[in-house]
Amino acid sequence: MKNPLNAYGAIASLYEYLMDVDYDEWAEYVRSLISPYLKGNVGVDAGCGSGAFTRRFKRAGLNVIGMDISPEMLAVAERKAKNEGLNILYVLSDMRKMKVNSKVDFITAITDCMNYIPKEDVEKTFKRFASCLKKGGVLAFDVSTEYKLKNIIGNNMFGEDGEDFSYLWFNTLTNVGVEMEISAFIRDKGDFFIKKEERHVQYFHSEEELKKALGNAGFDLKKTEGHLGKKIDDKTERLNFVAVKR
């Protein structure tokens, strides 16, 4: 399935380094969100990227499949899982067209996955999730808030100059979200570097819009909170949602 923006093609091998987060803490937090509602241990980590969460869920005893639209990210995920001695199935798929052979107990979509879904496709995506979940199945996802995209990401430039790679990341604020242009320079052999480019678009989604779409898709919302359980305020940068399929 083709990635329309080629997002995460250029920076796939660098992604976990560039994120610079405590994945152990974050994965354990996500598990704590879904655990009270779990009726089984089979699930899908949608938009799994390089598999940072998938691997941790697997080590914690969850029987999880990784799913992503980027073949480059899945290649990294497969390599990292193999290096850690983990047997994880990774599947190339767009979340909006997600399918499973047998209905699952949970779905996670962590680290801005839903920000890559245009507003007109959000409810359709939730309905696709619902179609893959058992009755009572759990959905956990997050979004970067409009505040973050407008005030921290939008119209700003980021970059890093390292020994083996450098990147430039230019952002442009639009009326629906943020367009991101990334150029990465990755060492190939000796003093030679390969230039790779990619484009991302992240969309604004308000808390109320997401709650409404969840309800229309057949979910009961159980909890909404900030990153790692923080209280929500007007400067919250990430919202977490937990919902159960009716």
Side-chain angles (χ1 to χ4, degrees):
M1 189 164 295
K2 192 174 181 180
N3 180 351
L5 300 177
N6 194 33
Y8 296 109
I11 63 171
S13 62
L14 309 173
Y15 178 75
E16 291 185 26
Y17 168 80
L18 295 176
M19 282 291 289
D20 190 26
V21 298
D22 186 335
Y23 277 113
D24 290 335
E25 179 185 28
W26 199 345
E28 184 56 34
Y29 165 70
V30 175
R31 283 210 313 123
S32 75
L33 286 179
I34 65 176
S35 291
Y37 312 102
L38 277 182
K39 297 180 179 179
N41 74 333
V42 179
V44 176
D45 185 21
C48 68
S50 61
F53 292 100
T54 323
R55 299 193 306 275
R56 286 163 175 82
F57 294 158
K58 184 73 172 184
R59 288 199 298 267
L62 296 175
N63 185 8
V64 61
I65 295 169
M67 187 176 291
D68 203 271
I69 197 173
S70 167
E72 293 87 354
M73 287 289 260
L74 289 178
V76 173
E78 289 175 344
R79 183 175 70 249
K80 286 179 175 289
K82 183 178 180 180
N83 289 343
E84 294 182 21
L86 298 172
N87 184 17
I88 300 173
L89 174 64
Y90 287 102
V91 178
L92 182 67
S93 178
D94 186 327
M95 293 192 304
R96 293 169 292 186
K97 301 176 182 179
M98 178 175 166
K99 294 180 180 179
V100 292
N101 291 330
S102 299
K103 293 192 176 186
V104 297
D105 302 297
F106 70 90
I107 294 172
T108 57
I110 311 301
T111 320
D112 301 344
C113 295
M114 291 303 300
N115 288 106
Y116 286 91
I117 304 297
K119 282 186 184 292
E120 62 269 22
D121 289 342
V122 168
E123 187 173 313
K124 178 174 71 175
T125 303
F126 287 154
K127 287 180 177 178
R128 177 57 59 180
F129 288 160
S131 73
C132 295
L133 284 166
K134 298 175 183 177
K135 183 177 181 179
V138 190
L139 169 64
F141 69 94
D142 65 43
V143 293
S144 284
T145 62
E146 188 168 339
Y147 168 81
K148 176 184 175 182
L149 293 177
K150 283 186 174 181
N151 296 281
I152 297 174
I153 303 298
N155 289 333
N156 285 321
M157 186 197 83
F158 303 92
E160 183 174 339
D161 184 17
E163 287 290 327
D164 295 316
F165 74 90
S166 299
Y167 74 91
L168 295 171
W169 173 12
F170 299 92
N171 300 315
T172 303
L173 194 64
T174 72
N175 62 341
V176 296
V178 178
E179 295 180 356
M180 307 173 182
E181 303 283 347
I182 300 174
S183 295
F185 303 85
I186 303 171
R187 186 184 295 274
D188 183 27
K189 295 178 181 179
D191 293 328
F192 292 93
F193 286 73
I194 296 175
K195 181 182 180 181
K196 296 183 178 182
E197 296 179 314
E198 62 183 58
R199 177 174 174 264
H200 300 231
V201 178
Q202 289 198 9
Y203 298 93
F204 303 137
H205 299 310
S206 73
E207 182 178 354
E208 291 307 312
E209 288 170 342
L210 292 167
K211 287 179 178 179
K212 181 179 179 181
L214 282 168
N216 291 343
F219 286 97
D220 289 328
L221 181 66
K222 296 298 183 181
K223 182 183 289 188
T224 309
E225 59 189 27
H227 186 51
L228 301 179
K230 293 179 181 178
K231 184 178 178 180
I232 297 172
D233 59 31
D234 58 359
K235 292 187 177 180
T236 293
E237 296 181 20
R238 186 177 301 280
L239 290 174
N240 290 277
F241 296 79
V242 183
V244 172
K245 179 183 173 181
R246 290 194 288 268

